[in-house]
Amino acid sequence: MLKFWKKKIAAKSAAAGTIADPDAVVPIVPEADDPALNEAMAEIVAPADMPHDHERFAAPTLDPAVPPPAVAVPEQPSPEQSTRRSWRERLSGNAFARGLSSLFVRHPTLDDNLLDELEITLITADVGIEASTMLVESLRRRMHKREFADADALLAALRGELIALLKPVEKPLDIAGRQPFVVLVVGINGAGKTTTIGKLARRWRDQRHAVMLAAGDTFRAAAVEQLKTWGERNQVPVISQGQDADSASVIFDALQAARSRGIEVLIADTAGRLHTQGGLMDELGKIARVLKKLDADAPHEVLMVIDGTTGQNAISQVRQFRQIVGVTGLVVTKLDGTAKGGVVFALAREFGLPIRYVGLGETATDLRVFEAEAFVDGLLPARLGRDERSHD
């Protein structure tokens, strides 16, 4: 009877174009229209010495009208959840994050001493005196009203206050509606302008936008070659004229080329300059005036790149650049390293300018669209558990 069963399976496999192993284990599924096969199967699964148990072992007949049962699939984290985890991983080594975490470890008891040291920690992290005082006094009033049961509740309240401070500046850059959309990138030397331009080019190219770069930093040696390298890496064209060329002329030519080639986004580099260098600052005003000869609304975004490690000096930088060229958005870089991070809160309170992006690493994908909640989550622990408090 077993030989008959094996031959039956082999014949069905050959008809289907596959090779069946007669010794392989196969599912036992009876066919309603094959009495001989059903009888053979019953003999196999229910031998003669078990006549009363055959119904218990018989395989069910499959009904094609009934769908198979759903298989549970483990839930995968959404891209937003993955992004939030990576923000915490990137910012956990930030001086601001370390300072706040160690503060709550040292002061698990809810009292005025905790709030006094919290204020010092915020000021030291470049949040600024006014913003730090405002945050702490708000928490102190709520503590005296007995709104907080413990330090965990205070931490949750601090999280809410910090997010509320940053939410108004959480405004992603929208490049739709203009073609070409002209982004003028400004900032002092060393802030990461050229690197930011390369990362922006990569981001928009990956989003299937036609991107072009303008090498307007003709003042710094090797700046043009550096931008060309980014262009080659991202496979986007670069318009340049070489060192010491007129920056406004380079960017004007680039805008003409972008319009003729149907480019969607033009990113223009400019010479890094200190806010105290009057001649170079005047050049920025000239660039903006020249662009308006071709497009009255250009540049459509003046993106200022700020080094997150510069601390409170960033406030004076933004103030001066805003007066000269009208900054419309900020990029804060190097927040994953030695930056204290609090300058983001100081900038938000002082100017209210949109923070478009933050730099959380070296790779092209580490330039992130700014998210208030994700940023604060990266700086603060989720809660103060026993393990965190005992780890000092």
Side-chain angles (χ1 to χ4, degrees):
M1 188 64 68
L2 286 176
K3 290 182 179 180
F4 166 78
W5 169 249
K6 292 178 180 179
K7 289 179 180 179
K8 186 78 173 178
I9 296 298
K12 288 183 174 243
S13 299
T18 59
I19 299 175
D21 182 0
D23 294 324
V25 177
V26 295
I28 302 174
V29 181
E31 296 185 14
D33 60 348
D34 195 338
L37 183 58
N38 286 340
E39 180 181 356
M41 234 174 54
E43 181 68 21
I44 294 171
V45 299
D49 58 347
M50 296 180 63
H52 300 292
D53 292 339
H54 67 279
E55 293 182 359
R56 188 161 52 91
F57 290 94
T61 302
L62 297 181
D63 186 353
V66 179
V71 179
V73 178
E75 183 178 354
Q76 299 297 323
S78 66
E80 292 79 7
Q81 291 172 327
S82 299
T83 300
R84 289 182 187 278
R85 283 198 297 271
S86 63
W87 279 63
R88 175 161 291 175
E89 292 169 0
R90 294 294 187 181
L91 292 171
S92 60
N94 181 290
F96 187 17
R98 295 198 310 269
L100 287 175
S101 296
S102 63
L103 167 65
F104 282 97
V105 171
R106 297 193 310 271
H107 294 277
T109 303
L110 186 61
D111 56 20
D112 282 321
N113 291 332
L114 171 61
L115 291 178
D116 290 340
E117 190 159 345
L118 173 60
E119 184 174 7
I120 295 173
T121 301
L122 293 174
I123 294 173
T124 306
D126 293 325
V127 173
I129 296 177
E130 293 183 2
S132 301
T133 302
M134 177 192 69
L135 287 169
V136 172
E137 289 307 312
S138 174
L139 294 173
R140 195 185 303 275
R141 286 193 298 271
R142 297 176 63 182
M143 183 186 73
H144 289 163
K145 292 179 181 179
R146 300 185 182 278
E147 293 186 20
F148 309 135
D150 51 24
D152 281 318
L154 175 63
L155 176 65
L158 175 61
R159 184 202 282 318
E161 297 277 358
L162 292 175
I163 291 174
L165 185 58
L166 295 181
K167 268 294 183 182
V169 299
E170 183 188 86
K171 299 176 181 178
L173 179 59
D174 183 8
I175 60 174
R178 302 283 185 175
Q179 187 170 338
F181 189 94
V182 182
V183 180
L184 189 65
V185 182
V186 303
I188 68 170
N189 278 330
K193 283 191 300 83
T194 307
T195 301
T196 298
I197 290 173
K199 293 178 178 181
L200 285 173
R202 168 67 179 276
R203 167 182 287 273
W204 287 325
R205 188 213 66 183
D206 289 348
Q207 295 173 357
R208 305 302 176 88
H209 294 293
V211 182
M212 176 181 285
L213 306 181
D217 185 358
T218 59
F219 183 75
R220 181 171 62 91
V224 174
E225 293 303 319
Q226 185 180 1
L227 196 68
K228 286 182 178 180
T229 300
W230 275 107
E232 293 173 0
R233 186 181 303 171
N234 295 319
Q235 299 179 344
V236 299
V238 179
I239 303 299
S240 65
Q241 293 182 10
Q243 189 175 351
D244 297 328
D246 181 67
S247 182
S249 175
V250 174
I251 298 175
F252 181 84
D253 290 347
L255 180 54
Q256 284 185 315
R259 296 177 71 177
S260 64
R261 300 184 193 181
I263 297 295
E264 296 175 84
V265 187
L266 172 64
I267 312 174
D269 193 9
T270 61
R273 63 210 77 205
L274 295 174
H275 50 285
T276 56
Q277 294 174 301
L280 290 175
M281 292 296 286
D282 291 341
E283 187 181 77
L284 281 179
K286 178 183 176 181
I287 292 172
R289 291 193 302 271
V290 167
L291 288 175
K292 292 184 185 302
K293 293 181 179 180
L294 287 177
D295 186 338
D297 296 325
H300 305 109
E301 176 79 3
V302 179
L303 206 54
M304 182 171 179
V305 180
I306 298 170
D307 184 343
T309 65
T310 58
Q312 288 295 300
N313 191 38
I315 301 297
S316 57
Q317 291 176 21
V318 174
R319 186 175 291 116
Q320 292 294 325
F321 276 85
R322 194 180 185 187
Q323 290 176 357
I324 297 297
V325 74
V327 176
T328 56
L330 303 176
V331 179
V332 185
T333 63
K334 307 177 186 179
L335 289 175
D336 59 315
T338 59
K340 296 178 181 179
V343 68
V344 174
F345 299 96
L347 291 168
R349 187 178 188 278
E350 181 73 21
F351 302 106
L353 287 170
I355 299 176
R356 306 295 195 184
Y357 302 96
V358 290
L360 302 179
E362 296 296 328
T363 67
T365 56
D366 286 329
L367 184 69
R368 305 293 180 84
V369 174
F370 179 69
E371 299 177 38
E373 291 187 18
F375 182 76
V376 173
D377 284 346
L379 296 176
L380 298 179
R383 61 177 284 107
L384 301 175
R386 294 179 179 178
D387 294 340
E388 292 177 350
R389 284 176 177 163
S390 61
H391 180 71
D392 194 356

